[in-house]
Amino acid sequence: MTSPQPTTTPVTHEDASPLIEVRDVVKAFGNRTILNGISFDVPRGETMVIMGGSGCGKSTLLRHLIGSLKPDSGSIKLFGEETTGMNEEGLDSIRRRFGVLFQSGALLQSLTVGENVALPIQEHGRVDDAIVDLVIKMKLEMVGLTGFEDLKPAEISGGMKKRVALARALALDPELLFSDEPTSGLDPVMTAVVDKLTQDLTRKLGMTAVVVTHDMTSAFRIGTRMIMLGTGDRQGKIIAEGTPEEIMNHPDPMLQQFIKGEADGPIPLRLSKGDYLKRLLGEAQP
Amino acid sequence: MKYYLQLNGKILYWLLVAPWRKQSFKFSQVVAQVNRIGVDALPMVALTSFSIGLTLAMQGAHELQRMGAAMYVPNLVAVSLLRELGPLLIAIIVIGRSGSAITAELGTMKVSEEIEALGVMAINPVRFLIVPRFVAMLIMLPILTVFGNYIGIVGGWTICHFALDMDTAAYVLRSIEAAQLGDLYSGLIKSAVFAWLIVTIACQAGLQVEDGAEGVGTATTRSVVFSLLAILVANAILTGLFFFF
């Protein structure tokens, strides 16, 4: 006898296969292993938050996802296509379907704010200048920067650059958005605005997002799935994965320390090992 | 060296093949670079060429007058400018002005993730950044050279006219008589080769910057030094070719 299955999947999309599939990705720089067998899926429409302490390989992982770095081994599939062995031409056709917000913003300093946002539109299609102009205004309005079109990136603040970079990443209405620390350098109100924007885009328009952050408020606000990367002995491994509730109640002490922001714990206060006095004074100690 | 050859290959691909197949480089960016590399350099080129023309005429007059051959000063000025000094001097000015600027600019863009961001936006950095500079340099260096040659000849004229009491008409006629079309062409071939070397060396140095501000500085120095060496060696080789063939 089987009882009728309760419908546990609240959202059903036409395409059930995950948008991003990462399998056993390993990357080492010299003899330092940064990523050590990372595997996860990001289903369509989800917001995946990648957390972890400094130096845990969050940004490196993101660089692998966007095709800037190639893993030593393992497989990465975007939109169902394997990107690890792809040539530049193939990568370019995939890259047109996603937007990336870099940690530093990475705006072109020689162009104005408006030209920066217009760049992907002008490069990837023959669009009338009037329409480009309209799109620039719409995208800047979204990030609260109307009227800043004619300034150079050097003339605006760090947080504003971040928002311009977000507007540029969204210029082509991508299906998928990667952001590296989208809220660092923003004030609390702007953080909330950017989070709200990400939420609206994912929940209302079905965009998928992968967000690297260590801002816990923001992470729990926007994330629908989360992974935490480990440091120290568990460098380059996923130590926890799940929904925000699962992560919040996860037993792992390192994760709990991270969420609560405590100075000492499983992640030691002093990261360097060995006798402190000996390191300070060398062998010549009394 | 391998990377340098690859870069040359990519430039030629995006310049000659890609425009027919998919995306072309932007003409407006070529114009912007033409202005920066060429038009903005005019005052400096004019001043340098004028002084060199002046100096050549004075030095030449000093020697030639003793042999009673002062009337050959225009020949000396015209031929040495067209064949040798013009292309070389202008190239050196452009290395100092634009070669270094290209390396520093691209290097800074590399350091601040701008070049990576372009790649991730599926905008090929070679098409977007390098090809416009390459085209502008290949157009503008020969033009600057012709311009410099003229100004240099004017520099020579000031000495001949005011110090040697030579007629302006006589100066012009002697110059035209002395300078063969071949002299102009050999100078222009040289300057086209120099342009290629300067812009590719500068771009490669810029794209390979790795370590922050210090890396940009080192790359800029390397770009200038390598460009100078390259054009001096190329100059010797080309002069040899023109001399023997």
Side-chain angles (χ1 to χ4, degrees), chain A residues 26-64:
Chain A
V26 176
K27 179 71 176 182
F29 292 109
N31 50 16
R32 250 173 66 80
T33 306
I34 306 293
L35 302 177
N36 193 3
I38 301 271
S39 302
F40 63 90
D41 287 343
V42 183
R44 207 171 270 273
E46 299 270 355
T47 303
M48 169 64 93
V49 172
I50 302 174
M51 303 182 293
S54 303
C56 72
K58 298 184 301 265
S59 294
T60 309
L61 176 58
L62 196 77
R63 286 208 149 80
H64 280 87

Side-chain angles (χ1 to χ4, degrees), chain A residues 63 66 68 89 92 95-96 98 100 102 104 106-109 119-120 122-124 168, chain B residues 13 21-23 26 105 109 112-114 116-124 127-128:
Chain A
R63 286 208 149 80
I66 62 180
S68 287
E89 219 162 308
D92 277 356
R95 281 168 171 165
R96 277 166 220 210
F98 64 71
V100 182
F102 280 84
S104 63
L107 299 174
L108 299 191
Q109 302 289 328
L119 192 62
Q122 285 167 337
E123 289 292 320
H124 294 313
R168 182 179 70 180
Chain B
Y13 170 78
R21 293 182 45 200
K22 39 182 186 180
Q23 283 171 308
K26 286 274 191 306
E105 195 181 353
M109 293 181 77
S112 58
E113 294 182 319
E114 288 177 40
E116 190 188 345
L118 281 175
V120 170
M121 286 191 281
I123 299 171
N124 187 292
R127 169 177 68 81
F128 188 76

Side-chain angles (χ1 to χ4, degrees), chain A residues 242-256:
Chain A
T243 63
E245 294 74 39
E246 285 165 0
I247 292 287
M248 190 63 102
N249 303 316
H250 201 278
D252 191 283
M254 196 192 260
L255 179 59
Q256 285 306 322

Side-chain angles (χ1 to χ4, degrees), chain A residues 99-121:
Chain A
V100 182
L101 169 57
F102 280 84
Q103 193 168 1
S104 63
L107 299 174
L108 299 191
Q109 302 289 328
S110 55
L111 303 180
T112 66
V113 164
E115 287 166 344
N116 263 293
V117 180
L119 192 62
I121 312 170

Side-chain angles (χ1 to χ4, degrees), chain B residues 48-102:
Chain B
T48 322
S49 308
F50 188 81
S51 344
I52 289 298
L54 210 71
T55 319
L56 266 177
M58 287 192 284
Q59 297 279 19
H62 184 74
E63 286 298 310
L64 291 170
Q65 247 176 345
R66 286 197 305 192
M67 296 183 279
M71 60 188 185
Y72 287 109
V73 172
N75 306 41
L76 175 81
V77 173
V79 173
S80 43
L81 272 175
L82 288 180
R83 294 191 74 111
E84 186 65 42
L85 286 172
L88 205 57
L89 269 173
I90 310 302
I92 290 171
I93 292 174
V94 168
I95 290 173
R97 267 193 92 256
S98 307
S100 59
I102 289 173

Side-chain angles (χ1 to χ4, degrees), chain B residues 86-164:
Chain B
L88 205 57
L89 269 173
I90 310 302
I92 290 171
I93 292 174
V94 168
I95 290 173
R97 267 193 92 256
S98 307
S100 59
I102 289 173
T103 307
E105 195 181 353
L106 293 177
T108 312
M109 293 181 77
K110 174 87 190 295
V111 170
S112 58
E113 294 182 319
E114 288 177 40
I115 290 185
E116 190 188 345
L118 281 175
V120 170
M121 286 191 281
I123 299 171
N124 187 292
V126 173
R127 169 177 68 81
F128 188 76
L129 296 171
I130 313 293
V131 170
R133 287 168 171 77
F134 180 84
V135 174
M137 184 68 91
L138 244 64
I139 296 173
M140 285 323 280
L141 190 55
I143 292 180
L144 283 177
T145 305
V146 171
F147 173 75
N149 288 341
Y150 271 113
I151 302 287
I153 290 172
V154 173
W157 167 84
T158 50
I159 293 297
C160 290
H161 186 71
F162 294 110
L164 303 178

